[in-house]
């Protein structure tokens, strides 16, 4: 079971993602609506993977990732960003900031779990995952 920390400020996306990811049976999910909440709860949850919205109030997804990387045990946890901003330069910037993959919004709920699992596997084998849904 993969412990996935999901940061998303949109309640509809949180709900859709939760249903989609629970259907796979592969994830234990901790959802947070703010970066501060994600940072505060990450240590105790000890996620195996991170799914971070890029644009959240108060701090960007990359800001949250930098803060999470400072916590014990989270330096190497695969991070996946979700964003509607998927121009090649924007995607490359997110990859350069430590993401193993970028999933485009809007996303297909039925393929969300498999996309995350593929990105995690690619991270384990050292491959870079191309943007999904672009």
């Amino acid at each position: 079971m993969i412990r996935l920390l999901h940061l998303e400020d949109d309640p509809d996306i949180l709900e859709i993602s939760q249903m989609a990811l629970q259907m796979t049976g592969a994830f234990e999910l901790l959802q947070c609506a703010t970066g501060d909440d994600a940072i505060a709860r990450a240590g105790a949850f000890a996620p195996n993977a991170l799914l971070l919205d890029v644009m959240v109030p108060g701090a960007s997804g990359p800001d949250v990732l930098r803060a999470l990387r400072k916590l014990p045990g989270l330096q190497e946890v695969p991070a996946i960003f979700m964003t509607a901003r998927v121009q090649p330069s924007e995607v490359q910037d997110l990859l350069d900031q430590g993401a193993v993959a970028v999933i485009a919004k809007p996303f297909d709920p039925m393929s969300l779990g498999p996309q995350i699992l593929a990105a995690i596997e690619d991270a384990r084998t050292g491959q870079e995952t191309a943007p999904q849904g672009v």
Side-chain angles (χ1 to χ4, degrees), residues 8-18 31 33:
E8 172 61 60
D9 64 308
D10 183 317
D12 293 332
I13 294 176
L14 280 172
E15 185 175 345
I16 291 166
S17 299
Q18 180 181 25
Q31 292 185 306

Side-chain angles (χ1 to χ4, degrees), residues 12-95:
D12 293 332
I13 294 176
L14 280 172
E15 185 175 345
I16 291 166
S17 299
Q18 180 181 25
M19 289 187 298
L21 295 172
Q22 285 178 339
M23 285 187 342
T24 69
F27 299 97
E28 179 181 340
L29 191 60
L30 172 63
Q31 292 185 306
C32 300
T34 68
D36 288 343
D37 190 33
I39 294 163
R41 297 174 69 191
F45 183 63
N48 304 101
L50 308 168
L51 179 62
L52 307 173
D53 185 9
V54 171
M55 297 182 356
V56 291
S60 71
D63 291 338
V64 172
L65 179 59
R66 282 189 288 280
L68 291 172
R69 291 288 189 233
K70 294 177 184 175
L71 298 177
L74 297 183
Q75 293 80 17
E76 301 297 323
V77 173
I80 302 160
F81 283 116
M82 289 182 70
T83 182
R85 302 177 73 180
V86 291
Q87 294 298 321
S89 63
E90 294 166 323
V91 169
Q92 188 58 54
D93 184 49
L94 293 172
L95 294 171

